[in-house]
């Protein structure tokens, strides 16, 4: 085993960064044996140097992250500060000064992954980011390496623990959205500002990364259709239960049947209770992968938190350090397929539409006619009057598979009917 250590610079020392530093220290001997050389924490860049950080030598702490990555003797830079800048500049600077990079930065990779991969390739260095998608769950490496000889057709998953916790609470207890969110916040699952989670931004960034790797095509954050889950109600869960379903916020990446295009989207959806993803509870993540040869695979585990995310970071760190010792690099970007990323309007799925309608004869016939005129076939219909006797009824329509564009036109036409008082909810039905 080589005695000269590999030097690691840590950018960020929050929940994840501090756990990375702790594991590097407490597991130092094991990591050295696995890598073939010891690791040395050579510097830690932070914004607040006065904060006490247990187990970290204060002499290693600096506020000058740029100077740290420019040192020239750093072998690997671990970036866990998040955001676009200064993370992007620090990563490209690290490559230019001879370091490989391990990152957990989903937002940056979803927005500028192609440029970062190009910078890594030009410098002949590694860029690894297992922790960017699903915390401790090994997912990037299986897609990038284990399934490299297969053809992936679909990636369907729960990739945000906060939203899964909220929806699970609404399903299991009957709580409303705000009540479930308040509990998630109190338990530390939701940030003070939960927008990135509940509006689907976090999941959309992860979907872009997954789609790019799975389909060997560049998929940016802007290519991903995004719909949050703040409008999901207890009534939606009641309807889902009537169908033998539950509701999850899903990231869905699909290859078109003709193989010429792909789609990536994030939105709430009803899924059958028989589907493996339906049983994913609390703040856990799970991703379902469908490929030609391997068939159906499911990856499950904790998708966030300091220790789970640090586990993924350390796995990448070991791999990158091994490559460093061997004078090689691991897989880079694979975008040779260059498939077209289709808009949401082209996506075909089933729909659950809940309407408030006038409680009188002929309404169902009018509604059915509108669906027929727009080429949307109806699977089932359920109608019942209101107990308050206000002259209105609830009409639930579940369609066969239809394109998003045709369904949009159908709903616009329904809103123009005098007998339709309102569209209570529209939800996609997936996993069948």
């Amino acid at each position: 085993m080589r005695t000269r250590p590999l030097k690691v610079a840590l950018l960020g020392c929050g929940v994840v960064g501090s756990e990375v530093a702790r594991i590097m220290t407490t597991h130092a001997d094991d990591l050295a044996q696995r890598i073939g050389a010891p690791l040395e924490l050579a510097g830690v860049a932070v914004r607040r140097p006065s904060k006490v950080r247990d187990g970290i030598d204060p002499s290693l702490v600096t506020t000058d992250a740029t100077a740290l990555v420019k040192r020239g003797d750093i072998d690997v830079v671990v970036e866990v500060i998040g955001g676009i800048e200064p993370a992007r500049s620090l990563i490209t600077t690290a490559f230019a000064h001879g370091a490989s990079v391990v990152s957990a930065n989903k937002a940056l990779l979803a927005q500028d992954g192609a440029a970062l991969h190009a910078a890594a390739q030009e410098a002949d260095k590694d860029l690894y980011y297992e922790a960017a998608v699903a915390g401790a769950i090994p997912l990037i490496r299986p897609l990038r390496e284990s399934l490299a000889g297969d053809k992936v057709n679909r990636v369907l998953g729960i990739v945000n623990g906060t939203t899964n916790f909220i929806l699970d609470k609404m399903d299991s207890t009957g709580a409303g959205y705000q009540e479930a969110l308040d509990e998630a916040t109190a338990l530390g699952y939701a940030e003070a500002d939960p927008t990135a989670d509940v509006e689907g931004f976090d999941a959309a960034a992860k979907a872009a990364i997954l789609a790019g790797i799975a389909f060997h095509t560049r998929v940016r954050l802007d290519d991903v259709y995004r719909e949050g889950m703040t409008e999901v109600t207890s009534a939606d869960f009641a309807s889902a239960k009537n169908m033998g379903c539950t509701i999850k916020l899903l990231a869905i990446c699909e290859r078109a049947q003709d193989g010429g295009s792909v789609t990536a989207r994030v939105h709430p959806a009803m899924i059958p209770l028989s589907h493996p993803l339906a049983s994913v509870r609390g703040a856990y993540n799970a991703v379902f992968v469908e490929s030609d040869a391997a068939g159906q695979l499911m990856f499950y585990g904790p998708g966030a938190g300091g220790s789970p995310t640090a586990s993924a970071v350390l796995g990448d760190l070991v791999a990158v350090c091994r490559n460093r010792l061997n004078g090689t690099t691991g897989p880079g970007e694979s975008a040779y397929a260059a498939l077209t990323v289709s808009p949401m309007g082209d996506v075909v799925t089933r729909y659950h539409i809940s309407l408030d309608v006038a409680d009188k004869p002929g309404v169902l016939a009018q509604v059915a006619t509108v669906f027929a005129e727009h080429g949307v076939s109806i699977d089932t219909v359920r109608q019942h009057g209101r107990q308050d006797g206000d002259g209105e009824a609830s009409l639930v329509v579940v369609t066969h598979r239809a394109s998003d564009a045709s369904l949009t036109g159908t709903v616009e036409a329904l809103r123009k009917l005098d007998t339709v008082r309102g569209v209570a909810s529209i939800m996609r039905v997936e996993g069948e």
Side-chain angles (χ1 to χ4, degrees), residues 48 180 345 413:
R48 296 185 295 276

Side-chain angles (χ1 to χ4, degrees), residues 85-415:
E85 287 290 356
R88 174 171 48 198
S89 297
L90 291 171
I91 289 174
T92 55
T93 300
F95 288 140
H97 287 78
S100 291
V101 174
V102 172
S103 176
N105 197 330
K106 54 188 170 288
L108 177 58
L109 287 159
Q111 179 172 307
D112 287 324
L116 295 180
H117 275 292
Q121 182 176 10
E122 182 177 356
D124 195 26
K125 296 296 179 287
D126 276 322
L127 172 63
Y128 276 50
Y129 43 90
E130 184 69 65
V133 172
I137 304 172
L139 185 58
I140 298 297
R141 193 170 286 114
L143 283 173
R144 199 158 69 162
E145 299 178 27
S146 302
L147 295 174
D150 206 344
K151 178 184 178 183
V152 176
N153 296 310
R154 195 177 197 218
V155 179
L156 172 75
I158 298 164
V159 295
N160 183 277
T162 299
T163 54
N164 199 57
F165 178 89
I166 293 170
L167 292 172
D168 183 38
K169 279 295 175 182
M170 293 177 70
D171 185 24
S172 61
T173 69
Y177 166 75
Q178 190 60 51
E179 182 182 353
L181 173 59
D182 290 344
E183 182 174 352
T185 304
L187 292 173
Y189 292 130
E191 301 287 346
D193 180 1
T195 302
D197 294 322
V198 300
E199 293 296 350
F201 291 101
D202 175 87
K206 296 170 181 177
I209 295 170
L210 290 174
I213 296 171
F215 305 132
H216 305 280
T217 293
R218 287 178 179 168
V219 180
R220 289 171 49 89
L221 181 59
D222 292 344
D223 296 321
V224 181
Y225 172 84
R226 177 193 55 79
E227 184 181 321
M229 43 76 71
T230 58
E231 300 301 318
V232 177
T233 66
S234 299
D236 292 325
F237 275 101
S239 293
K241 288 180 179 180
N242 285 333
M243 291 179 59
C245 293
T246 188
I247 299 172
K248 299 292 186 181
L249 184 75
L250 299 178
I252 305 169
C253 311
E254 292 180 305
R255 186 191 300 268
Q257 289 188 348
D258 63 7
S261 64
V262 298
T263 58
R265 50 196 166 102
V266 169
H267 54 71
M270 294 181 179
I271 58 172
L273 294 175
S274 58
H275 194 282
L277 292 179
S279 61
V280 178
R281 310 301 296 270
Y284 275 70
N285 284 189
V287 178
F288 205 70
V289 177
E290 300 175 10
S291 67
D292 276 0
Q296 297 179 331
L297 306 170
M298 183 167 166
F299 301 84
Y300 170 84
S307 294
T309 306
S311 171
V313 170
L314 265 295
D316 278 351
L317 181 59
V318 168
V320 169
C321 286
R322 287 171 174 169
N323 291 343
R324 190 88 173 183
L325 288 179
N326 294 327
T328 62
T329 57
E333 182 188 31
S334 176
Y336 74 90
L339 300 174
T340 300
V341 183
S342 297
M344 186 63 188
D346 292 347
V347 171
V348 175
T349 188
R350 296 180 67 204
Y351 289 87
H352 175 282
I353 305 102
S354 180
L355 305 172
D356 294 326
V357 300
D359 190 5
K360 62 182 184 180
V363 173
L364 179 55
Q366 289 182 329
V367 169
T369 298
V370 170
F371 276 87
E373 289 174 347
H374 288 80
V376 179
S377 176
I378 294 175
D379 182 15
T380 61
V381 176
R382 186 175 69 254
Q383 181 176 353
H384 56 85
R386 303 279 178 79
Q387 294 181 353
D388 54 17
D390 61 358
E392 291 191 0
S394 294
L395 181 64
V396 174
V397 178
V398 179
T399 74
H400 286 290
R401 292 175 64 82
S403 71
D404 188 81
S406 63
L407 197 282
T408 298
T410 302
V411 172
E412 290 176 354
L414 288 171
R415 294 184 193 276

Side-chain angles (χ1 to χ4, degrees), residues 50-61:
S50 60
K51 181 179 177 181
V52 176
R53 294 172 172 86
D54 294 337
I56 295 179
D57 184 347
S59 67
L60 297 178
V61 177

Side-chain angles (χ1 to χ4, degrees), residues 23-74:
I23 296 174
M24 284 182 61
T25 301
T26 58
H27 295 180
D29 291 341
D30 284 342
L31 290 172
Q33 291 295 329
R34 295 167 193 171
I35 292 168
L39 295 179
E40 176 187 332
L41 186 59
V44 182
V46 300
R47 285 183 291 183
R48 296 185 295 276
S50 60
K51 181 179 177 181
V52 176
R53 294 172 172 86
D54 294 337
I56 295 179
D57 184 347
S59 67
L60 297 178
V61 177
T62 178
T63 58
D64 194 343
T66 301
L68 178 59
V69 300
K70 280 184 174 181
R71 276 179 36 175
D73 65 335
I74 301 297

